[in-house]
Amino acid sequence: METQLPPLNWLSTFRTVIETGSFVKAARQLNVTPSAVSHQMRGLETRLGVTLFQRANRAIHPTEAALNYYEALRDSFGKIIAATSRLAAGKGTKRLAIHSSPSFATLILMPRLKSFIRAHPDVDVTLSSSVDPVRIGREGFDIDIQHIRPVPEHCDGLLIAEEMIVPLASPEFLNEHPVQSSADIARAPVIHSLRCAAQWDGWFARYGADLTPPHRGMRFDRSFLALTAAADGFGLTLESTLLAQDFIRSGRLVMPLGAVGLTARSHRLVFSHASRGDATIEAFCSWLREELGQGLVPET
């Protein structure tokens, strides 16, 4: 068996085959023919002296050796991609690509990012937002701020905060609908924040088990929409004090029953193992920790 490093394009093709699960899909992604992919994988198997794929009825199944090899290569490819992105960003300029859940991006990052940019003028920030998961290190992103998702195996995850999910309403709404108990909430117009870590049924199970939880009311699939609707007086919403902190600080929303809520660990900041020790990522984490005054610690 030869010990010389296989051609880099073979290794890149191998990674794509594992991630797509098919020679045909890998070929389509790489813009080559399936026979070219098959030829490269035969060459890689010959070079390594190991069977990487079981082939049957036009289907392929990676062997245990292939999966182990992929895991060993994954961080190395992440480092290459990260280094290439930094180099391509230009001499003397650093690039930080952040993906975030929509409500965290809207309510937490956007109102505060100016202070990070002022403190780090040599860093060009890219901020993208969606509910879809991204592949850190392989889609150009350095950081992902996730909402209610498991941390990928090739990543480190930092808990952003221990959140409290509480009833919130505007002072004007409470003047019309005084709330002093769970029973008052059961009778009042409510807003359902569909992606929140806790829902009204769960809140009433703890604080009003003898009451019927409200099922009618407006429904929103983004926390920032539910909070804005509550601030505009449409009803009570059940939401995270982390996301609502600026509404609460400004007085647009109040907690009519105080900190009567459910705890949640919903938001995590995630980056790849290959980026451990990266100065720009560490600077962003330190800045966000200071802005929030809490969190960003490894979970135990």
Side-chain angles (χ1 to χ4, degrees):
M1 179 184 71
E2 299 182 47
T3 57
Q4 183 181 356
L5 184 68
L8 186 58
N9 65 314
W10 289 8
L11 298 179
S12 179
T13 299
F14 168 73
R15 182 187 69 143
T16 305
V17 170
I18 292 291
E19 291 178 354
T20 60
S22 163
F23 286 177
V24 173
K25 292 179 181 178
R28 189 178 301 124
Q29 185 168 315
L30 296 169
N31 198 28
V32 297
T33 65
S35 61
V37 171
S38 178
H39 178 74
Q40 289 184 28
M41 293 304 92
R42 290 288 189 190
L44 184 59
E45 289 176 320
T46 300
R47 176 67 62 87
L48 298 175
V50 173
T51 299
L52 298 174
F53 301 98
Q54 300 291 345
R55 299 158 174 85
N57 298 324
R58 294 189 176 182
I60 61 162
H61 303 283
T63 63
E64 184 176 355
L67 295 175
N68 290 338
Y69 192 43
Y70 169 75
E71 290 298 325
L73 291 176
R74 184 163 56 180
D75 282 352
S76 297
F77 272 103
K79 290 179 181 178
I80 292 171
I81 293 170
T84 302
S85 297
R86 287 192 293 269
L87 184 62
K91 184 178 180 181
T93 301
K94 301 172 185 176
R95 175 180 173 275
L96 182 64
I98 304 165
H99 177 270
S100 173
S101 61
S103 291
F104 193 93
T106 301
L107 298 172
I108 302 297
L109 292 182
M110 284 305 299
R112 295 167 173 79
L113 263 181
K114 185 182 291 185
S115 69
F116 177 80
I117 293 170
R118 284 176 174 171
H120 303 277
D122 59 332
V123 177
D124 283 345
V125 174
T126 299
L127 176 60
S128 299
S129 174
S130 71
V131 297
D132 299 320
V134 296
R135 298 185 301 173
I136 289 295
R138 295 192 293 283
E139 291 185 10
F141 292 108
D142 304 299
I143 288 173
D144 188 15
I145 297 177
Q146 302 178 325
H147 181 241
I148 317 181
R149 290 191 185 279
V151 177
E153 290 185 2
H154 70 289
C155 291
D156 291 337
L158 302 178
L159 179 67
I160 289 179
E162 181 111 338
E163 302 171 48
M164 182 68 71
I165 313 297
V166 301
L168 296 160
S170 70
E172 294 76 15
F173 176 86
L174 294 172
N175 286 336
E176 297 182 19
H177 305 272
V179 171
Q180 297 180 340
S181 67
S182 302
D184 292 331
I185 294 179
R187 292 189 292 266
V190 300
I191 295 167
H192 300 271
S193 185
L194 301 179
R195 292 186 181 272
C196 183
Q199 298 295 313
W200 283 115
D201 284 354
W203 188 88
F204 272 91
R206 177 168 303 182
Y207 296 107
D210 57 335
L211 300 170
T212 300
H215 293 290
R216 294 193 60 191
M218 302 181 73
R219 285 168 165 77
F220 296 97
D221 68 346
R222 299 289 185 272
S223 293
F224 67 84
L225 294 176
L227 289 166
T228 300
D232 288 342
F234 285 94
L236 284 141
T237 192
L238 187 68
E239 257 297 346
S240 162
T241 53
L242 170 67
L243 296 178
Q245 59 184 272
D246 289 347
F247 285 92
I248 296 170
R249 188 178 295 118
S250 67
R252 294 184 66 197
L253 290 175
V254 298
M255 298 181 285
L257 300 183
V260 177
L262 306 172
T263 58
R265 293 185 166 194
S266 302
H267 290 88
R268 292 168 182 80
L269 186 149
V270 172
F271 56 89
S272 72
H273 296 329
S275 297
R276 287 174 180 168
D278 182 275
T280 304
I281 291 177
E282 289 187 351
F284 180 83
C285 291
S286 297
W287 166 80
L288 187 57
R289 184 182 298 112
E290 185 175 336
E291 286 290 325
L292 298 179
Q294 62 181 325
L296 270 74
V297 296
E299 291 188 85
T300 57

